[in-house]
Amino acid sequence: MAVAKAWWYRELPSRPRPQGMTTPWECSMVQTTERVLVSDLRERVGETVSVCGWVNTLRLQSKMQFLVLRDHTGMVQITHRRCGESDEIEVALEGLTTESAVRIVGRVVDNPIVKLGGLELVPQQLEILNRADTPLPIDEHTSLDQRLNWRFLDIRMRPQAQLLFAVQTTLEQGMREYAYGQGCTEMHTPKLMGTASESGAEVFKLGYFDRSAYLAQSPQFFKQMAIAAGIDKVFEIGPVFRAEPSFTSRHATEFTGVDVELAWINDVEDVMNFEEQMLAHAIAKVADAHGNEVRESFGVEITVPTTPFPRVTMAEAQKILRAGGWDPAGMKEDLDPDGERGVAAHFLEQTGHEFVFVTHYPTSIRPFYHMRPENDSNVTLSFDLLWKGLEVTTGAQREHRYDVLIKQAAEKSMSTEPLQDYLNAFRFGCPPHGGLGMGLGRVLMILLGLDSIREATFLFRGPNRLTP
Amino acid sequence: MAVAKAWWYRELPSRPRPQGMTTPWECSMVQTTERVLVSDLRERVGETVSVCGWVNTLRLQSKMQFLVLRDHTGMVQITHRRCGESDEIEVALEGLTTESAVRIVGRVVDNPIVKLGGLELVPQQLEILNRADTPLPIDEHTSLDQRLNWRFLDIRMRPQAQLLFAVQTTLEQGMREYAYGQGCTEMHTPKLMGTASESGAEVFKLGYFDRSAYLAQSPQFFKQMAIAAGIDKVFEIGPVFRAEPSFTSRHATEFTGVDVELAWINDVEDVMNFEEQMLAHAIAKVADAHGNEVRESFGVEITVPTTPFPRVTMAEAQKILRAGGWDPAGMKEDLDPDGERGVAAHFLEQTGHEFVFVTHYPTSIRPFYHMRPENDSNVTLSFDLLWKGLEVTTGAQREHRYDVLIKQAAEKSMSTEPLQDYLNAFRFGCPPHGGLGMGLGRVLMILLGLDSIREATFLFRGPNRLTP
């Protein structure tokens, strides 16, 4: 990054310098040359450059000192020949610790015998910007829970974790690219609600001046309000909160939701069509940008899905599962995790596809605002999307007719009073619409073959974890 | 949007159709032709198309019925010649209300005498998808507060409000484009915190299973943790929460923050440089996409700022203000809103620039984690960015040296115990870094010349407002 110092002195030399200041910015760091990323060093052979990064390893021999420096683009060997006690670099290297943050100025030398890219840096200056304590609190044998306590080190020291956030960035870029291309508007809906309206259960409650507020479990009601506000297609990526005491590998109390809501749809097929196109586009972008790295680092092949994805009704999915022996006690309307895996396995075998939309969920296990077909009030015009057997999305066409919505809320024994702001949106010309909510962490978990959503989140939040 | 129905029946014809279903998706809507947006009708003259939108106006004459239909792309006249009581369209139009959501199938006719683009639609079918109640609860004379109660109608009925969210989308697109180009990683930091660590004041507290949690006032600590985690440049757009009982036109209890944090900076200039480039890029993108519409709708000319923006130290800013007679009681270290406007007016006059960075804020009014220059502990290496006299950003180089950070926390009489997770990030090789936090609503407010942040937010949240 180029340094543009003291603009107003250069451009407006007549302006007086504030008293007591010698230069506009002063801090403890010496900077002699511009920073070069490790991945760009090959182009700088013969030059003196500055590199910044962490001490990956130190090898201090009697005549030579070797330091491997790591930045987010790679690693380079720093080779220093000892030359006695008055050698400041020698002394500094002797007292150094792994994971310390350093800046090194040195000459880039082409040296084919160096394993790291046939390059080394001969240091002329070494600056310890932040020395790491010893011992480090985690290493490669540390348990996941303990690693999460030191998540910043866990991420920094594992290239796999670094890659995960690069993949996340590209994935979101891809989803936004598709959404913008379809005319979506990016909305930011409130996370603070006046009533715990969507379900009442599993909602966090907070003190709000002299009253209470609730954290939104999803942007559901608000994105529908945006539809009623004439926004044609709504897109949002943001946090959602679930006060659910779940300790599984796929649940969190706070996670990042990708939400879409589409106005003037013909039916819920339009929503599924949007989702499969969006995912195919985003996954293709990830495969393109990171496919090789992901294969090397995670041992996972990123398969760009073909569209359309297979679809199966819940009734048919259960028929398929029962034919295969699935018969969980008390499980008549929903799929348990075993059932989800079974459906996915069936369609993988039949169609070769990793994704499957399960449609027509029973009314009894869907919220009151899911639309039902004209001729069958037992099912909803809804879907879940399973990827490799894990639910990554719930979607539906929403009921936009005020009278039907009121009737469906009553059937679910919901009090309409706390719902009034929501219901009002359907009294003045709300168009037909539908949408979906996707868990970003779950998508990443499946994409990269991770065992737990804890690994797919920067700082995981669960019933027992609110730190760091 | 194309409709791809019943894929699994088409592709796998041998698969049995679930019992009781006649078609996979059934609902109450008739769809004969694909939806055409109003802005695309000119290309469809002579064709029969379907348009979807809201009843903007109705003019029911003795022989003719006129309906102006509005979608998010424009308005079109529907012209119907009455032909008697058995005429379903005539009856439907007679009972229609403004703002009802309708779908109309009709023939596009070129008619130069029609004021709306010289086009009209002769209806063959009219479907009322959601009839609006009468009277509408708001009109053009309604107060802002009452409009916010019916925000969905307020936004839908005012093209200006529609445009605002299009501008927001483009602005964010522009900021992300710049950030990605600079190698930023998009992070999602938690909004739930275990301790009210950053300041303790102005934090919302919530019940979290058998304990308490707090809502993040900013991603500050977490984005610094991402820096310690080896993420080179952090970018986040997400909600921040302030339990501040402020009722001004520029404060909200929940707003969208744009956060950036940059590792390995040389000094805070790198942060200001990033911000001015990012804003210039994003504003240019908005000017390009919406400049004309914004001029027509908001009466505001979007000026793409030149870089670098002017910079002035707080000490110098105060000297300039006092020379102009500014001398607020008790205001010795900070700028009051009058002072911010005064500084902005001065630099607008001197340099023609709408932006100005005010730098070197006194230590006493900055948080403990702002870095201070080596030779002057009375000021911080920090800045605010003023745009047209309103603060839109606070930024700083952060103190990354553990011992100095501990000392600065002690000087501010902060207990380090609740800060321990944060402080740990500086014990194992945290690089120098700095960043900024920008209020998206404020940027939109200034960009579009709005009087209140309430107008620049989808659903405003303040001490007295948690609905809708």
Side-chain angles (χ1 to χ4, degrees):
Chain A
M1 188 175 290
V3 186
K5 288 212 182 193
W7 173 84
W8 70 97
Y9 293 125
R10 284 205 320 269
E11 301 293 317
L12 302 169
S14 62
R15 188 167 304 284
R17 174 170 293 197
Q19 291 201 341
M21 284 184 60
T22 50
T23 66
W25 302 115
E26 293 171 77
C27 70
S28 63
M29 278 153 293
V30 182
Q31 177 72 358
T32 55
T33 53
E34 200 184 326
R35 178 191 184 192
V36 173
L37 297 177
V38 168
S39 59
D40 296 335
L41 286 176
R42 171 53 65 193
E43 299 153 29
R44 309 297 284 261
V45 170
E47 293 179 41
T48 294
V49 303
S50 166
V51 292
C52 296
W54 292 273
V55 177
N56 197 71
T57 47
L58 274 171
R59 203 150 42 91
L60 306 171
Q61 300 178 347
S62 59
K63 289 191 174 155
M64 301 293 292
Q65 294 171 308
F66 298 99
L67 182 163
V68 172
L69 177 134
R70 185 189 76 236
D71 73 11
H72 66 291
T73 68
M75 293 198 267
V76 63
Q77 176 174 298
I78 315 294
T79 310
H80 182 64
R81 179 176 299 277
R82 290 180 193 267
C83 48
E85 261 177 34
S86 64
D87 172 5
E88 283 181 15
I89 293 179
E90 177 174 341
V91 173
L93 283 170
E94 210 61 29
L96 210 48
T97 53
T98 55
E99 290 308 319
S100 290
V102 296
R103 180 183 285 136
I104 296 172
V105 177
R107 201 161 40 86
V108 186
V109 175
D110 182 70
N111 184 348
I113 65 165
V114 176
K115 281 177 192 159
L116 277 171
L119 271 186
E120 62 190 347
L121 203 77
V122 178
Q124 294 159 8
Q125 195 183 325
L126 186 156
E127 198 183 352
I128 303 172
L129 298 170
N130 188 305
R131 192 178 178 282
D133 283 0
T134 51
L136 294 173
I138 59 169
D139 61 26
E140 67 273 30
H141 307 298
T142 307
S143 71
L144 174 58
D145 201 55
Q146 182 67 1
R147 283 200 282 117
L148 293 188
N149 288 338
W150 297 93
R151 182 65 166 154
F152 71 92
L153 272 177
D154 177 48
I155 293 172
R156 194 207 300 163
M157 292 165 66
R158 285 192 302 122
Q160 207 190 51
Q162 293 281 324
L163 178 56
L164 184 138
F165 295 103
V167 168
Q168 172 176 289
T169 303
T170 305
L171 187 72
E172 286 186 43
Q173 244 179 312
M175 292 194 290
R176 282 204 173 83
E177 223 169 54
Y178 179 78
Y180 290 149
Q182 295 293 309
C184 282
T185 299
E186 187 138 6
M187 302 296 287
H188 301 285
T189 63
K191 307 310 161 200
L192 296 174
M193 305 178 83
T195 54
S197 46
E198 196 175 339
S199 80
E202 299 172 357
V203 176
F204 289 115
K205 182 178 179 178
L206 58 133
Y208 192 82
F209 304 98
D210 53 354
R211 52 191 285 204
S212 294
Y214 304 86
L215 289 183
Q217 288 173 289
S218 84
Q220 186 57 42
F221 284 5
F222 297 129
K223 64 182 181 168
Q224 291 190 255
M225 234 175 253
I227 292 294
I231 307 292
D232 202 58
K233 295 186 175 78
V234 176
F235 185 79
E236 177 169 15
I237 298 185
V240 299
F241 305 93
R242 304 277 164 94
E244 217 180 333
S246 291
F247 297 87
T248 76
S249 62
R250 59 192 191 285
H251 286 93
T253 52
E254 175 180 354
F255 61 90
T256 303
V258 179
D259 270 272
V260 173
E261 200 71 27
L262 309 172
W264 307 108
I265 59 170
N266 292 314
D267 54 36
V268 67
E269 260 294 332
D270 287 345
V271 182
M272 295 193 282
N273 185 40
F274 186 102
E275 177 163 30
E276 63 197 4
Q277 296 295 335
M278 180 172 75
L279 277 171
H281 179 84
I283 293 170
K285 201 172 167 88
V286 171
D288 197 41
H290 311 289
N292 293 334
E293 287 170 281
V294 166
R295 189 184 308 110
E296 279 168 36
S297 188
F298 291 89
V300 171
E301 194 65 43
I302 296 180
T303 309
V304 181
T306 55
T307 58
F309 297 174
R311 287 134 164 83
V312 64
T313 65
M314 172 61 99
E316 194 184 358
Q318 296 220 357
K319 208 183 286 177
I320 292 165
L321 288 169
R322 288 185 201 283
W326 178 82
D327 193 16
M331 186 65 63
K332 280 177 188 150
E333 301 184 302
D334 209 350
L335 298 177
D336 58 355
D338 254 3
E340 292 180 341
R341 283 188 289 270
V343 173
H346 176 89
F347 279 87
L348 183 64
E349 195 198 314
Q350 295 284 310
T351 68
H353 214 287
E354 295 176 350
F355 288 89
V356 55
F357 282 114
V358 180
T359 68
H360 295 85
Y361 273 69
T363 301
S364 56
I365 55 167
R366 288 304 218 198
F368 73 98
Y369 54 80
H370 280 198
M371 189 181 261
R372 305 166 190 178
E374 271 314 84
N375 63 349
D376 186 357
S377 65
N378 293 317
V379 296
T380 53
L381 297 170
S382 71
F383 64 90
D384 273 10
L385 176 63
L386 309 182
W387 186 9
K388 296 189 182 175
L390 187 74
E391 176 215 317
V392 293
T393 293
T394 294
Q397 177 159 6
R398 323 302 181 181
E399 182 51 66
H400 65 282
R401 296 162 296 185
Y402 182 72
D403 51 340
V404 182
L405 200 54
I406 294 284
K407 190 171 134 276
Q408 292 186 178
E411 280 173 31
K412 294 262 182 191
S413 305
M414 295 195 66
S415 159
T416 51
E417 204 248 303
L419 293 171
Q420 205 49 61
D421 277 320
Y422 173 68
L423 294 170
N424 278 342
F426 301 91
R427 288 175 48 211
F428 298 96
C430 184
H433 62 286
L436 64 95
M438 192 194 306
L440 184 66
R442 288 197 178 184
V443 170
L444 281 167
M445 189 179 156
I446 304 303
L447 183 68
L448 302 176
L450 300 171
D451 291 333
S452 169
I453 200 154
R454 290 160 179 75
E455 301 263 18
T457 311
F458 173 40
L459 295 168
F460 173 75
R461 291 294 181 254
N464 289 339
R465 181 170 285 283
L466 268 176
T467 56
Chain B
M1 189 176 294
V3 187
K5 287 213 182 194
W7 174 83
W8 71 97
Y9 293 123
R10 284 203 321 267
E11 302 294 316
L12 302 169
S14 62
R15 187 170 304 285
R17 174 170 294 199
Q19 291 202 341
M21 284 184 61
T22 49
T23 67
W25 302 115
E26 294 173 78
C27 69
S28 62
M29 277 153 291
V30 182
Q31 178 70 357
T32 54
T33 53
E34 200 185 327
R35 178 191 183 192
V36 174
L37 297 177
V38 168
S39 59
D40 296 334
L41 286 175
R42 171 54 63 193
E43 298 152 30
R44 311 296 283 262
V45 169
E47 292 178 43
T48 294
V49 301
S50 166
V51 291
C52 296
W54 292 273
V55 178
N56 197 70
T57 46
L58 275 170
R59 202 149 43 90
L60 307 171
Q61 300 178 348
S62 59
K63 290 193 172 154
M64 301 293 291
Q65 293 171 309
F66 298 98
L67 181 164
V68 173
L69 176 135
R70 185 189 75 238
D71 73 10
H72 66 291
T73 69
M75 294 198 267
V76 63
Q77 176 173 300
I78 315 295
T79 309
H80 182 64
R81 179 176 298 276
R82 291 178 190 267
C83 49
E85 260 177 37
S86 64
D87 172 4
E88 283 181 18
I89 293 179
E90 177 174 341
V91 173
L93 282 170
E94 210 61 30
L96 209 46
T97 53
T98 55
E99 290 308 318
S100 290
V102 296
R103 181 184 284 134
I104 296 173
V105 176
R107 199 161 42 83
V108 188
V109 176
D110 182 71
N111 184 348
I113 65 164
V114 175
K115 280 176 194 163
L116 278 171
L119 272 186
E120 63 190 346
L121 202 79
V122 178
Q124 293 160 12
Q125 196 182 326
L126 186 156
E127 198 183 350
I128 302 172
L129 299 170
N130 188 305
R131 191 179 178 281
D133 283 0
T134 51
L136 295 174
I138 59 169
D139 61 27
E140 67 272 30
H141 306 297
T142 307
S143 70
L144 174 59
D145 201 56
Q146 183 65 2
R147 284 200 282 117
L148 294 187
N149 288 339
W150 298 93
R151 183 64 166 155
F152 71 91
L153 272 177
D154 177 48
I155 292 172
R156 192 207 300 163
M157 292 165 67
R158 285 191 304 124
Q160 207 191 52
Q162 294 280 325
L163 178 56
L164 184 138
F165 296 103
V167 167
Q168 172 175 289
T169 303
T170 305
L171 187 71
E172 286 186 43
Q173 244 179 312
M175 292 194 289
R176 282 202 173 83
E177 222 169 54
Y178 179 79
Y180 290 149
Q182 295 293 309
C184 282
T185 299
E186 187 139 5
M187 302 297 287
H188 300 286
T189 63
K191 308 309 160 201
L192 296 174
M193 305 178 85
T195 54
S197 47
E198 197 176 337
S199 78
E202 300 171 358
V203 176
F204 289 115
K205 182 178 179 176
L206 59 133
Y208 192 82
F209 304 100
D210 53 355
R211 50 190 288 206
S212 295
Y214 303 86
L215 288 183
Q217 289 173 290
S218 84
Q220 186 58 40
F221 284 6
F222 298 128
K223 64 182 180 168
Q224 291 191 256
M225 235 177 252
I227 293 293
I231 307 294
D232 202 57
K233 295 186 175 81
V234 176
F235 185 79
E236 177 168 14
I237 298 184
V240 298
F241 305 93
R242 304 276 164 95
E244 215 180 334
S246 291
F247 297 88
T248 77
S249 62
R250 61 194 189 284
H251 287 93
T253 52
E254 175 181 354
F255 61 89
T256 303
V258 179
D259 270 272
V260 173
E261 200 72 27
L262 309 172
W264 305 107
I265 59 170
N266 292 313
D267 54 37
V268 67
E269 261 293 332
D270 286 345
V271 182
M272 294 192 284
N273 185 41
F274 187 102
E275 176 162 30
E276 63 197 3
Q277 297 293 336
M278 180 172 77
L279 277 171
H281 180 85
I283 293 170
K285 202 172 166 87
V286 171
D288 196 42
H290 312 289
N292 293 335
E293 285 171 282
V294 167
R295 189 184 308 112
E296 278 168 35
S297 190
F298 290 90
V300 170
E301 193 65 42
I302 297 180
T303 309
V304 181
T306 55
T307 58
F309 297 175
R311 287 135 164 82
V312 63
T313 64
M314 173 61 99
E316 194 185 358
Q318 295 221 357
K319 207 184 288 178
I320 291 165
L321 287 170
R322 287 186 201 284
W326 178 80
D327 194 15
M331 186 63 66
K332 280 177 191 152
E333 301 182 303
D334 208 351
L335 298 176
D336 58 357
D338 254 2
E340 291 179 342
R341 283 189 288 271
V343 173
H346 175 86
F347 279 87
L348 183 64
E349 196 198 314
Q350 296 283 311
T351 68
H353 213 287
E354 295 176 351
F355 287 90
V356 55
F357 282 115
V358 180
T359 67
H360 295 84
Y361 273 69
T363 301
S364 56
I365 55 169
R366 290 303 219 197
F368 74 98
Y369 54 80
H370 281 199
M371 189 181 262
R372 305 166 190 177
E374 272 314 82
N375 63 350
D376 186 358
S377 66
N378 293 317
V379 296
T380 53
L381 296 170
S382 72
F383 64 88
D384 273 11
L385 176 62
L386 308 182
W387 187 8
K388 295 189 183 176
L390 187 74
E391 176 215 317
V392 292
T393 293
T394 293
Q397 177 159 7
R398 323 302 181 181
E399 182 51 66
H400 65 282
R401 295 162 297 185
Y402 182 71
D403 51 341
V404 182
L405 200 54
I406 294 285
K407 191 172 133 272
Q408 291 186 179
E411 280 174 28
K412 296 261 183 194
S413 306
M414 295 194 67
S415 159
T416 51
E417 204 249 303
L419 293 171
Q420 204 51 60
D421 277 321
Y422 172 67
L423 294 171
N424 278 341
F426 301 91
R427 288 176 49 212
F428 298 96
C430 184
H433 62 286
L436 63 96
M438 193 193 306
L440 185 65
R442 287 197 180 184
V443 170
L444 282 167
M445 189 179 155
I446 303 301
L447 183 68
L448 302 176
L450 301 171
D451 291 332
S452 169
I453 201 154
R454 291 161 178 75
E455 300 264 18
T457 312
F458 173 41
L459 295 168
F460 173 75
R461 291 294 182 252
N464 289 339
R465 181 170 286 282
L466 268 174
T467 55

